[in-house]
Amino acid sequence: MRFHAPKRVRLVHKIIQFEQVSFRYPDEEKWILEDLSLTVLRGERVVINGPSGCGKTTLLYLCNRLYPDNCDGVLNGSIKIFGKDSSSFIPGEINHRISTVFQDPDSQFCMQTVEEELAFTLENLHVRREEMEKRISEVLTLTDLSEFRHSVIQKLSGGQKQRIATACALIMQPEVLLLDEPLSHLDPYTAKKYVEWLDELQQKRSMTIVAIEHRLDLWGDFFDRSISLKENKEPPPFDKRKSSKQDDVSLVVNKVSAKSFLQETTFSLNRGEIAVLAGPNGSGKSTLLKALCQLIPSSGSVEPKLLGYVPQSPEFLFLTKSVQDEVGFGGGINVDEMMTRLQLFPIADAHPFAVSHGQKRRVAIAAMLSDGREVILMDEPTSGQDAAALAELFQLIDERACEGTTFLIVTHDMEFAYCLADSVLLMRDGCLTGKFEAGAMWSDEQLLLDHHLLPPKEVMHREACFA
């Protein structure tokens, strides 16, 4: 008789223990985490969820000892890591055993090229030079990044940076991997492959994985269990909107190109049209938006020249010292309405740089929607948003489109795109490959595959019913 080993076998050891942990920043009275108790076992795969701004990222920073020392935070309760009180570890001691992929990968890069960044990580671990070459080559092969070995990191796309940040974490051969929304900047196909790869890697190395994630649809049954920090009240799914675009042209893009990567691009959008810009990581989507706003050297013409823009890293827009001042900067209209609808009043007095990633994005969106621009460009507006924030964002964009505002939105969220878009512009290798009516393209499997996209769940369900 043959016995088959289970998919995952792990010894029951407590890796991370929180007992009645409370944490707040020194200048704030409100606790970000309060009386939190939890345990993570060796080899577990745990996902942390909860509404935007509830303290999920703070929890990770307490696990890797970034907090409280690096922010002078106030900490009550007990935290044990690998069975020891977390305060007993000397600075840097825990970092090679617990690796972190941050929500904003730019925040963890120190060197210019991918190879230099990986070598720098190994130097901090005092790895011998003769071993560095082997480990760098191995991790680049493992993460399918070999072709980017000599690339300048800041010239790569957000999704490529996310994969590089993961490679930097894995080269340390950690026992625990902390992931802060690792799929947020990945195209759907790459995200699916990332989960499959992480599943295989975890089984080979028996790592413990703790991840923050709002959307679990691409993760399948990857996680063993979830930890909810606060009740996440899920609103009903938004319905597919009816087109509101009008006959008159609102945005004209004529032969816009950029030497860095972007090939000549020509298209137009009608007044009130909502267009989604989609394609693989590194295909040129963010570059196109920057070229339209003349933020990078480019040629060609764009009408109108005054466009509203919400970048992938929204903090680059911030100019003031409070969320409310930022939303109203420049004499914006309907500031209070935007603050209310995008759930910003609870953080109205906070510094824009001090709030969560999802909240930063909503601050930038609120400021742009209050600014009265006729055409608004958004780069990954759904990243870091919980279900309630997504539903409100959907309604706001729909309402503004009905009033005549035109939107061009980069997103990897195909459910959001399916319900919202009038048209979809597809890009690949720096080239606009076509503009498609949204309803006509979701069933074209080859077209979607060529652009690293997956059909929305509703389309897959409908096709399964008629199969």
Side-chain angles (χ1 to χ4, degrees):
M1 182 181 293
R2 297 181 63 186
F3 293 91
H4 297 276
K7 182 180 179 183
R8 282 177 254 154
V9 177
R10 56 176 177 259
L11 299 175
V12 180
H13 292 302
K14 297 176 180 179
I15 297 292
I16 299 169
Q17 293 173 267
F18 281 46
E19 291 185 9
Q20 294 185 305
V21 170
S22 298
F23 177 85
R24 63 177 172 83
Y25 295 115
D27 297 329
E28 296 184 8
E29 295 183 3
K30 184 179 179 182
W31 295 98
I32 298 174
L33 299 174
E34 191 167 8
D35 291 329
L36 176 66
S37 296
L38 61 86
T39 300
V40 177
L41 304 179
R42 183 182 300 278
E44 268 198 309
R45 306 174 179 193
V46 178
V47 62
I48 300 169
N49 54 40
S52 180
C54 71
K56 300 184 294 297
T57 298
T58 298
L59 172 58
L60 288 197
Y61 290 176
L62 290 170
C63 293
N64 64 14
R65 292 292 299 144
L66 186 62
Y67 286 177
D69 296 342
N70 288 16
C71 69
D72 296 323
V74 179
L75 175 66
N76 293 334
S78 168
I79 300 177
K80 289 185 178 180
I81 302 173
F82 301 113
K84 292 173 55 179
D85 191 289
S86 65
S87 62
S88 67
F89 291 95
I90 62 175
E93 181 184 0
I94 202 70
N95 293 71
H96 71 286
R97 299 182 70 183
I98 299 180
S99 292
T100 308
V101 179
F102 295 93
Q103 198 169 53
D104 179 8
D106 283 319
S107 65
Q108 65 190 93
F109 296 135
C110 300
M111 308 302 287
Q112 186 175 23
T113 70
V114 174
E115 182 180 55
E116 290 169 346
E117 187 68 33
L118 292 167
F120 179 72
T121 303
L122 294 177
E123 286 172 356
N124 286 329
L125 296 176
H126 307 292
V127 174
R128 295 191 305 273
R129 189 163 294 276
E130 55 269 25
E131 188 183 341
M132 282 188 183
E133 169 62 29
K134 178 185 176 184
R135 284 177 65 170
I136 289 173
S137 296
E138 283 179 349
V139 80
L140 288 173
T141 300
L142 184 69
T143 53
D144 197 24
L145 289 168
S146 296
E147 64 180 294
F148 299 105
R149 181 170 187 148
H150 302 291
S151 298
V152 175
I153 294 174
Q154 292 308 322
K155 291 185 177 180
L156 300 177
S157 73
Q160 289 163 340
K161 289 176 182 177
Q162 194 88 337
R163 290 163 58 198
I164 292 162
T166 305
C168 290
L170 292 172
I171 203 170
M172 292 188 277
Q173 299 176 344
E175 298 169 57
V176 181
L177 185 62
L178 307 179
L179 302 168
D180 197 346
E181 294 202 55
L183 307 186
S184 61
H185 296 302
L186 301 182
D187 64 66
Y189 179 82
T190 302
K192 185 178 179 182
K193 291 299 180 183
Y194 181 96
V195 172
E196 292 173 356
W197 161 76
L198 194 63
D199 177 57
E200 191 174 317
L201 181 72
Q202 192 274 343
Q203 293 186 61
K204 285 180 180 177
R205 296 190 177 180
S206 300
M207 286 190 304
T208 303
I209 295 177
V210 180
I212 292 172
E213 189 59 76
H214 281 296
R215 292 187 57 220
L216 296 174
D217 50 315
L218 289 173
W219 288 91
D221 60 354
F222 179 88
F223 295 108
D224 297 320
R225 63 187 176 96
S226 64
I227 296 174
S228 297
L229 295 192
K230 289 183 180 179
E231 184 181 0
N232 200 352
K233 296 178 181 179
E234 297 283 326
F238 28 75
D239 296 322
K240 199 171 188 307
R241 68 183 288 275
K242 295 181 180 179
S243 176
S244 60
K245 61 181 176 175
Q246 303 169 24
D247 291 336
D248 53 323
V249 174
S250 175
L251 174 66
V252 178
V253 176
N254 185 34
K255 295 184 178 179
V256 169
S257 64
K259 288 183 179 179
S260 58
F261 183 58
L262 182 66
Q263 300 179 43
E264 279 195 358
T265 302
T266 298
F267 65 92
S268 64
L269 301 179
N270 287 349
R271 180 174 166 80
E273 183 173 357
I274 301 176
V276 160
L277 183 59
N281 289 127
S283 61
K285 303 182 296 296
S286 296
T287 301
L288 174 57
L289 294 196
K290 291 174 184 176
L292 297 182
C293 296
Q294 298 182 323
L295 295 176
I296 57 174
S298 58
S299 59
S301 63
V302 181
E303 294 292 341
K305 295 185 181 297
L306 194 61
L307 306 172
Y309 175 52
V310 180
Q312 200 171 83
S313 297
E315 55 266 31
F316 291 141
L317 293 180
F318 297 155
L319 298 169
T320 71
K321 294 183 179 180
S322 78
V323 166
Q324 184 145 12
D325 288 346
E326 194 63 43
V327 175
F329 184 79
I333 57 174
N334 300 325
V335 172
D336 285 351
E337 180 191 0
M338 289 299 105
M339 292 282 293
T340 299
R341 296 186 64 175
L342 289 172
Q343 305 165 42
L344 297 175
F345 265 123
I347 55 168
D349 297 325
H351 197 291
F353 283 92
V355 299
S356 76
H357 182 73
Q359 289 168 331
K360 287 177 183 176
R361 199 167 295 274
R362 295 206 302 277
V363 171
I365 291 169
M368 204 53 62
L369 290 175
S370 297
D371 205 31
R373 302 292 173 93
E374 293 180 9
V375 179
I376 296 179
L377 315 180
M378 294 182 171
D379 198 344
E380 295 288 356
T382 67
S383 176
Q385 307 305 322
D386 58 38
L390 276 179
E392 195 58 59
L393 178 61
F394 174 92
Q395 292 295 334
L396 280 168
I397 293 174
D398 184 25
E399 289 170 15
R400 287 301 176 89
C402 291
E403 294 169 4
T405 303
T406 302
F407 289 88
L408 179 59
I409 302 172
V410 172
T411 184
H412 290 132
D413 187 338
M414 290 299 100
E415 312 304 322
F416 192 77
Y418 173 77
C419 292
L420 196 64
D422 299 310
S423 57
V424 180
L425 283 72
L426 295 179
M427 292 194 73
R428 187 175 58 190
D429 299 326
C431 178
L432 184 67
T433 56
K435 180 184 178 184
F436 303 86
E437 288 295 321
M441 63 159 282
W442 299 118
S443 298
D444 191 331
E445 293 184 7
Q446 190 58 52
L447 181 67
L448 294 174
L449 185 61
D450 288 344
H451 294 84
H452 282 201
L453 304 177
L454 298 173
K457 287 183 290 187
E458 185 169 329
V459 173
M460 292 190 289
H461 175 72
R462 185 173 65 236
E463 290 181 350
C465 290
F466 288 96

